[in-house]
Amino acid sequence: MVERLVPDELWELFQRVVPEAPSRPQGGRRRHGDREVLAAIVFVATSGCTWQQLPSASFGPSGATAHRRFSEWSKARVWAKLHRLVLDELGVRGELVWSRCAIDSVNMWALKGDLTGPNPVDRGKYGSEIHLITERSGLPVSVGISAANLHDSQALIPLVKGIPPIRSCRGRRRRKPGKLHADKGYDYAHLRRWLRERGITDRIARKGVEPSQRLGRRHRWTVERTMAWLAGCRRLHRRYEREADHFLAFTSIACTLICYRRLTK
């Protein structure tokens, strides 16, 4: 089970970003291995089970131990570093295409916690929103979360700034797409101006000009497909985490697994 959920190549990448285990000079019980704990966390993310339902007989660590290590690694930004490391490996192999990117978002229910709010398109039910930028083939390069009542246009600038400098097969690192595709929710003059100032060509649908039936038919379907891929991480079907950092961590884990699947092909 551990080797299936955490293959050797993924484990080698994870070892480069995980912090060292604290020393325990006074002894105590043996610390569970990081690979077993990582497999347990991936199982919780993909299966959607609670920490209490984690089958410790299959992994070793209990649900409480896995959750405690998950909190420690989330605070150390391990998941964002792992996602960037996988993107670097893809960039070196020439798998990332920067000629055009697409941005979109998806809403989901949330019980309570940070960065939650009434969803204006779902009868005011409380929820959160995942914002995503993908490169041309649909691999996520930047991800963020917000309350459900935050307008999509307000997430464009932070999300573009959040694209990390990623290695490429030749030349210097890249962090800027040639074009950015978006739907009518991002159709604002200040956003177009901000993109042009940074050398990014805007391909934003114009309100009252482009018909809705044509949106996404040529280029934006890749980010919509990636949103569907995120549903493979069942922990994201509904937000149960009260802390926003934990919810963002599960989102980063899902994006890392999407990119890692491309890496193994």
Side-chain angles (χ1 to χ4, degrees):
M1 178 71 77
V2 174
E3 286 75 12
R4 182 176 65 85
L5 293 175
V6 184
D8 293 337
E9 189 174 0
L10 180 60
W11 170 238
E12 292 175 2
L13 294 174
F14 184 77
Q15 286 180 301
R16 296 165 57 180
V17 298
V18 64
E20 295 184 2
S23 59
R24 304 178 63 179
Q26 297 180 354
R29 293 189 299 178
R30 182 183 65 87
R31 176 184 172 91
H32 288 285
D34 288 340
R35 187 169 186 175
E36 289 76 15
V37 176
L38 176 60
I41 294 173
V42 172
F43 179 82
V44 171
T46 54
S47 66
C49 72
T50 64
W51 296 105
Q52 291 78 10
Q53 295 173 334
L54 181 69
S56 58
S58 301
F59 302 99
S62 63
T65 300
H67 180 262
R68 181 170 59 252
R69 201 81 61 87
F70 170 77
S71 301
E72 294 174 0
W73 290 342
S74 299
K75 187 176 181 180
R77 293 182 53 80
V78 169
W79 313 115
K81 296 176 182 177
L82 181 61
H83 181 208
R84 176 176 174 178
L85 198 59
V86 176
L87 288 174
D88 281 341
E89 294 295 326
L90 288 168
V92 170
R93 300 184 185 185
E95 295 287 343
L96 300 180
V97 183
W98 291 96
S99 59
R100 62 180 78 248
C101 289
I103 183 174
D104 206 348
S105 64
V106 60
N107 291 291
M108 58 194 58
W109 288 355
L111 298 178
K112 59 182 67 176
D114 303 330
L115 296 182
T116 59
N119 190 343
V121 297
D122 193 10
R123 297 170 292 177
K125 294 182 179 179
Y126 264 70
S128 295
E129 195 168 8
I130 297 177
H131 304 271
L132 197 65
I133 289 183
T134 62
E135 49 84 55
R136 184 170 186 172
S137 63
L139 295 177
V141 296
S142 181
V143 62
I145 62 172
S146 70
N149 56 344
L150 181 76
H151 198 275
D152 290 347
S153 61
Q154 300 183 35
L156 186 145
I157 294 178
L159 215 58
V160 173
K161 288 183 176 180
I163 300 177
I166 302 172
R167 296 174 61 186
S168 58
C169 57
R170 63 183 65 180
R172 59 182 181 179
R173 292 176 177 266
R174 292 287 304 270
R175 63 178 306 174
K176 187 174 65 173
K179 301 177 183 178
L180 183 65
H181 292 262
D183 59 22
K184 297 180 181 180
Y186 303 88
D187 183 21
Y188 290 93
H190 70 280
L191 294 180
R192 297 178 183 272
R193 189 183 315 112
W194 186 86
L195 291 173
R196 288 195 298 268
E197 290 174 354
R198 281 150 185 82
I200 303 175
T201 303
D202 64 274
R203 287 292 183 264
I204 303 176
R206 293 167 293 178
K207 299 176 182 177
V209 179
E210 280 90 0
S212 301
Q213 291 79 6
R214 294 184 58 185
L215 293 179
R217 186 169 298 177
R218 295 184 60 187
H219 302 295
R220 284 191 57 254
W221 64 271
T222 55
V223 66
E224 295 173 354
R225 182 187 60 181
T226 304
M227 291 295 182
W229 285 346
L230 289 179
C233 184
R234 297 184 180 180
R235 191 75 180 191
L236 298 180
H237 285 190
R238 185 172 182 176
R239 177 180 169 181
Y240 296 96
E241 287 71 34
R242 295 190 178 185
E243 297 186 20
D245 291 341
H246 291 180
F247 180 61
L248 180 60
F250 277 121
T251 307
S252 298
I253 291 174
C255 293
T256 301
L257 295 178
I258 292 173
C259 295
Y260 178 75
R261 285 197 295 266
R262 177 69 62 84
L263 189 65
T264 56
K265 289 184 178 179

